[in-house]
Amino acid sequence: MQARGFESLSLRMVTLEQFIVDRQQEFEGATGAFSKILRDISLGAKLVSFYLRRASLAGLLGELGLTNIQGENVQKLDYLANSLFIQLLSKNPHVAGIASEEEENIICTNPYGKYVVLLDPLDGSSNIDVGVPVGTIFSLYKRVTPQGISCEEKDFLQGGRAQVAAGYVLYGTSTLLLYTTGQGVHGFALEPAAGEFLLVYPQLQMPPKSSYYSFNDNQLHEWEGGLQQYVRSLHDQNKSLSSPLSLRYVGSLVADVHRNLLKGGVFMYPGTVKKPEGKLRLLYEGYPIGWIVEQAGGKATNGRVPILDVPAHKIHQRTPLFLGPVEDIDKITAFLTYNVAVEKV
Ligand code: P6P
């Protein structure tokens, strides 16, 4: 007899490592390389989670007094997270190189490694001091340069459809790790007592209808006209809905994405007249998050084309980012394309 409420207990008996080993064939070559790379990423996530939870007590909050390649003030935990992931991945024989939001240039590690890793080690770190969830975002490619030589930028600029694995870690009320290798999205929660990530979301799917919309409208006046009309249509639509969409915007990408992935919602960070490329990064935010959303049955674009099809030219390239249920993202594209209100259906 299965006691009520415990039916999912069996799920939580599957560790991340076991889950990946059981699915080796899903990943290129099934050499065990992916499980070893994801093991290092999950170890980095466990360590970052440990330090985040103690940051206010261990004097780890606040700025380091440095600015990074993005011209942003580096938080102490940015530096710590970046150092941890780079140290862990640099020692992995399967990793040929690393690109990080915190590093101006690519870091070539093992010339015989077959894979390169892109990282946003701690996204949303400006939120740490106020207790808002932050995240790590990762993306893996099989290198295009031959083994035996140093990695090159072209290994990292292959474009979103060439990713072989991608995912994120959310340091929230619990520490969650979600990833995809193109066979759906799988989610794990860290059980600190066991030091293991345990399966909680097998084959996660985004609800087809939105309950939320997430954007910072402080520059709405600078958005394209079609987008301003889309926002007005959202507010108008709410007048006739029995359960209107709620605005939920944390200002921490992984937290906003994860909520919308589980509950259904539209996230957008558009470009403006002055900054048409927007704020978010294509290679280590748009591509990995966009693949996760697509694999979960949603859609991710730059407003007009799938984000995974936006060409990569520079490591720190920015992009507008729109993601959510297919119906909502197609409506945004229509508003942007025709720059007029879409006929009410
Ligand atoms: P804004 C955090 O700084 C970040 O890079 C993303 O995590 C987040 O989605 C975005 O910026 C928030 O930007 O301009 O709304 O504060």
Side-chain angles (χ1 to χ4, degrees), residues 152-170:
E152 296 174 21
E153 277 217 346
K154 62 181 169 185
D155 291 315
F156 299 83
L157 299 175
Q158 299 179 51
R161 299 279 177 206
Q163 293 176 101
V164 292
Y168 62 72
V169 181
L170 176 63

Side-chain angles (χ1 to χ4, degrees), residues 72 101 120 123-127 137 215-219 249-256 267 269 279-281 285:
E72 297 162 342
E101 180 181 50
D120 186 351
D123 179 78
S125 54
S126 55
N127 293 292
I137 309 170
F215 51 78
N216 182 345
D217 68 357
N218 67 341
Q219 297 184 348
Y249 187 74
V250 177
S252 182
L253 178 62
V254 175
D256 280 318
F267 171 91
Y269 205 107
K279 172 182 184 181
L280 300 178
R281 308 295 172 174
E285 292 174 345

Side-chain angles (χ1 to χ4, degrees), residues 40-76:
D40 287 343
I41 291 172
S42 67
L43 176 55
K46 293 173 194 173
L47 294 170
V48 169
S49 179
F50 172 85
Y51 289 112
L52 272 171
R53 310 261 173 242
R54 289 160 184 77
S56 45
L57 301 169
L60 287 173
L61 294 180
E63 297 176 357
L64 194 61
L66 300 173
T67 53
N68 64 13
I69 168 67
Q70 328 289 345
E72 297 162 342
N73 294 326
V74 178
Q75 304 289 317
K76 291 174 187 171

Side-chain angles (χ1 to χ4, degrees), residues 99-252:
S100 166
E101 180 181 50
E102 298 297 332
E103 299 291 336
E104 181 170 0
N105 303 306
I106 61 174
I107 300 169
C108 290
T109 53
N110 183 326
Y112 291 94
K114 281 178 64 177
Y115 299 94
V116 293
V117 183
L118 290 101
L119 281 171
D120 186 351
L122 200 60
D123 179 78
S125 54
S126 55
N127 293 292
I128 294 171
D129 294 10
V130 293
V132 166
V134 292
T136 294
I137 309 170
F138 58 90
S139 171
L140 272 66
Y141 293 83
K142 197 172 174 184
R143 72 185 296 181
V144 291
T145 52
Q147 284 179 268
I149 64 169
S150 271
C151 70
E152 296 174 21
E153 277 217 346
K154 62 181 169 185
D155 291 315
F156 299 83
L157 299 175
Q158 299 179 51
R161 299 279 177 206
Q163 293 176 101
V164 292
Y168 62 72
V169 181
L170 176 63
Y171 307 100
T173 47
S174 59
T175 297
L176 301 172
L177 186 150
L178 277 73
Y179 83 88
T180 184
T181 58
Q183 310 291 325
V185 175
H186 312 298
F188 301 78
L190 179 61
E191 170 45 81
E196 294 277 11
F197 277 101
L198 303 179
L199 181 64
V200 289
Y201 301 120
Q203 288 294 349
L204 183 65
Q205 286 290 292
M206 174 187 267
K209 290 284 181 197
S210 285
S211 302
Y212 300 111
Y213 58 92
S214 312
F215 51 78
N216 182 345
D217 68 357
N218 67 341
Q219 297 184 348
L220 179 67
H221 57 284
E222 288 213 18
W223 291 358
E224 293 182 60
L227 205 48
Q228 296 187 31
Q229 287 178 333
Y230 167 71
V231 172
R232 273 194 287 278
S233 78
L234 271 180
H235 294 149
D236 290 346
Q237 172 187 302
N238 267 352
K239 294 171 190 163
S240 58
L241 289 177
S242 54
S243 51
L245 276 63
S246 296
L247 171 62
R248 290 283 187 282
Y249 187 74
V250 177
S252 182

Side-chain angles (χ1 to χ4, degrees), residues 249-286:
Y249 187 74
V250 177
S252 182
L253 178 62
V254 175
D256 280 318
V257 168
H258 188 70
R259 180 201 49 252
N260 290 0
L261 198 64
L262 263 61
K263 302 294 185 186
V266 178
F267 171 91
M268 56 185 187
Y269 205 107
T272 63
V273 172
K274 289 178 192 153
K275 293 183 178 175
E277 75 285 356
K279 172 182 184 181
L280 300 178
R281 308 295 172 174
L282 177 63
L283 270 64
Y284 40 78
E285 292 174 345

